[in-house]
Every structure is written in C-alpha cells, then in structure tokens.
Amino acid sequence: PKWATAYKFPAMQVLTKLIDIKFTVGRTGQVTPNAILEPVRLMGSVISKATLHNEDYVKSKDIRIGDIVSIIKAGDVIPRVQESVKDRRNGFEKPFVMLDDCPICGSNLIKKDASYYCVNMNCDAKKIEKLIHFASRDAMNIEGFGEQIIEDFYNMGYLNNFVDFYDLKRYKNELMELEGFGEKSINKIFISCYQQSRHANGKFFTYLS
C-alpha cells in the first residue's frame, strides 16, 4: 500500500584476513581482481574468496594484501569485500598492483572505462569462460557441466568450441576412464546435450545409439 514504508536491514558483516589477490579472465576478456580470504562463515556458507570488482574499487578503499577486511553478501548472495580495517595493520601489508599483462596468455591488457581487458581472441581463459556460459542455465542449460568439468574437458582437448558439446560421444571410452565418471554419469551428459540440441535447433543427434 502507498502509506507503507519498507525497512531494509543492514547487511551482516564478518571480519577475516585477505591472504592474496588473484586475477581471473572472463569470457569478454575482462580481468577481475579477487580476494583470497581466510575461510569465514557468513549467512550459512563458508566464504574463502570474494570479488574486488576493479582497480578503482580496490584503490579507492585502499585494500591491501594482509589486511583484516569486512565481508558482506551483496543482495544476500554474492560475497564482497566491503572495506579494510586500517587500524589493525601491522606494517607488513602489500599495496594492490594491477597487472599489465593477461595472467593466462601474457597479452597486453587494454583499459576500458574502469576495467582492464585481454584482447587476445585465442586466450584460453576467454575460450573456457565462453564454453561455461554456453552450457549455463542462462544459455543452453546443459545439465552435468560444472565449471571445473568444462575446464578439464577443454584442457584434455574434448571441448574446443560450442559444437563439441554435441559431439562428445566419440570420446565416450576416454571419458569413462576419468576418475569420477562412469557410464551412467556420461550418458546423463549425452542425454542433456541431445535434449537441448532438439529444443534449440530441431535437430536429432544419435548419442545413445
């Protein structure tokens, strides 16, 4: 009703130590700094890493490796470093330094607005992230493909492009020899690819023949 007022409770915060800052490369090539944290429990889950967004965010808050930092969950979902507790510094903290080159392929980074990008079209990290997005719920929604599985299959040569998702059957014997994979789990992946291919393109693939 128009007369009502909604009250938003402040986000729950916890303190932990920022052990290191690692960089990841997304499917668009954006290079993002991420905080590696001493594991801490927050709102029912254990948090060991959190996004730092970009160089400007880190420098504006003067977040350093070795700092004690406060962690919140943005929207009660995504872990985020809110701020550093500067009065708990001991002098051994290391200031943040942005990379000049891609951490995966070594190509020079280009800055656009507040973010840095790898513009190498053949960067392995970009290819893997595109494959992960393709299989995700927001895209083809192919069940059975976690991020680690896709990265492993890419490194083994089984997934190099989108079409390879629908041609995995030729590697069935090799996949069944991998630790944690059996005929049941492999067939589940094949069925999911088959069903999604029918839904998307109206084409039939003979995975289980």
Side-chain angles (χ1 to χ4, degrees):
K2 294 181 178 180
W3 51 264
T5 300
Y7 180 80
K8 184 176 181 180
F9 291 93
M12 182 180 297
Q13 299 187 36
V14 294
L15 298 180
T16 188
K17 185 174 183 178
L18 195 159
I19 301 173
D20 201 0
I21 295 178
K22 299 292 185 182
F23 295 86
T24 55
V25 183
R27 62 188 175 91
T28 63
Q30 182 175 344
V31 177
T32 304
N34 297 275
I36 307 302
L37 309 166
E38 284 188 352
V40 62
R41 181 169 289 276
L42 174 61
M43 298 179 66
S45 61
V46 177
I47 308 300
S48 59
K49 58 183 178 180
T51 180
L52 290 170
H53 302 293
N54 54 51
E55 179 186 32
D56 292 346
Y57 183 85
V58 180
K59 289 188 174 181
S60 66
K61 293 180 175 289
D62 190 22
I63 297 171
R64 305 183 182 186
I65 297 174
D67 271 345
I68 301 299
V69 294
S70 64
I71 308 298
I72 67 169
K73 280 190 175 181
D76 293 339
V77 177
I78 303 173
R80 184 178 72 191
V81 176
Q82 185 72 357
E83 60 183 359
S84 61
V85 184
K86 297 177 176 58
D87 59 6
R88 294 186 60 174
R89 287 178 175 169
N90 56 24
F92 291 97
E93 294 77 15
K94 297 179 181 178
F96 170 81
V97 178
M98 186 61 200
L99 297 178
D100 295 319
D101 303 318
C102 175
I104 304 300
C105 69
S107 300
N108 291 335
L109 300 181
I110 304 298
K111 188 173 185 180
K112 298 178 183 179
D113 298 324
S115 300
Y116 286 81
Y117 292 83
C118 172
V119 295
N120 177 15
M121 297 300 296
N122 295 316
C123 179
D124 288 331
K126 292 171 68 173
K127 290 182 178 180
I128 292 171
E129 289 299 324
K130 287 179 180 179
L131 292 171
I132 290 173
H133 176 73
F134 181 81
S136 70
R137 183 176 299 176
D138 293 333
M140 292 300 293
N141 192 23
I142 305 175
E143 297 182 0
F145 284 100
E147 294 184 7
Q148 190 60 53
I149 291 177
I150 291 177
E151 183 174 350
D152 289 343
F153 282 12
Y154 177 86
N155 292 329
M156 294 174 187
Y158 304 143
L159 286 176
N160 292 294
N161 53 58
F162 302 148
V163 176
D164 288 341
F165 281 98
Y166 307 108
D167 198 25
L168 279 174
K169 187 181 178 182
R170 59 178 173 155
Y171 299 115
K172 182 175 181 178
N173 293 334
E174 291 90 335
L175 295 177
M176 288 179 59
E177 293 178 359
L178 299 177
E179 183 177 354
F181 287 91
E183 185 170 6
K184 184 176 180 179
S185 58
I186 292 298
N187 280 340
K188 184 178 180 180
I189 289 177
F190 293 162
I191 290 172
S192 183
C193 289
Y194 170 67
Q195 291 175 337
Q196 290 303 322
S197 67
R198 289 184 60 190
H199 175 72
N201 302 314
K203 296 180 180 179
F204 291 83
F205 293 86
T206 56
Y207 274 99
L208 300 178
S209 61

